[in-house]
């Protein structure tokens, strides 16, 4: 499992993130506090607070999700 933080500030950010997530064969969750939602679900993401950074849990090895990570690079919070 890969863990990182993402920030989705606009509706278009959310739409683009969900689109890229739906191309993946593995599961991806977004976590905000005690709430966990499927990152492939627009309605799920809208049900949490997207303005703050979210924990992103990717249930795949780094070799499997490297293409996805490249696509969502603009959303990843660099620490």
């Amino acid at each position: 499992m890969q863990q990182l933080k993402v920030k989705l500030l606009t509706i278009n950010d959310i739409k683009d993130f969900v689109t890229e997530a739906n191309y993946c064969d593995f599961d991806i969750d977004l976590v905000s506090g005690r709430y966990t939602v499927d990152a492939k679900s627009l309605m799920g993401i809208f049900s949490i607070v997207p303005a703050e950074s979210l924990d992103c849990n990717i249930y795949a090895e780094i070799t499997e999700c490297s293409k996805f990570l490249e696509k969502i690079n603009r959303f990843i919070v660099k620490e």
Side-chain angles (χ1 to χ4, degrees):
M1 179 173 80
Q2 309 304 315
Q3 293 182 311
L4 50 102
K5 290 198 177 287
V6 296
K7 194 167 240 189
L8 306 171
L9 299 176
T10 67
I11 292 171
N12 283 334
D13 288 349
I14 295 169
K15 183 183 73 107
D16 293 346
F17 185 89
V18 170
T19 299
E20 293 303 330
N22 276 298
Y23 285 117
C24 300
D25 293 333
F26 43 83
D27 291 329
I28 306 165
D29 289 334
L30 291 177
V31 181
S32 177
R34 62 187 175 110
Y35 300 102
T36 301
V37 297
D38 184 351
K40 297 179 182 184
S41 168
L42 274 173
M43 294 304 290
I45 296 173
F46 283 129
S47 72
I48 59 177
V49 181
E52 49 190 69
S53 65
L54 304 168
D55 293 323
C56 181
N57 298 329
I58 303 169
Y59 299 95
E61 296 299 321
I62 193 74
T63 54
E64 294 176 273
C65 66
S66 61
K67 188 173 182 178
F68 174 67
L69 293 174
E70 288 175 24
K71 297 281 188 177
I72 65 160
N73 188 48
R74 66 188 169 126
F75 306 123
I76 298 173
V77 176
K78 314 298 194 262
E79 294 184 53

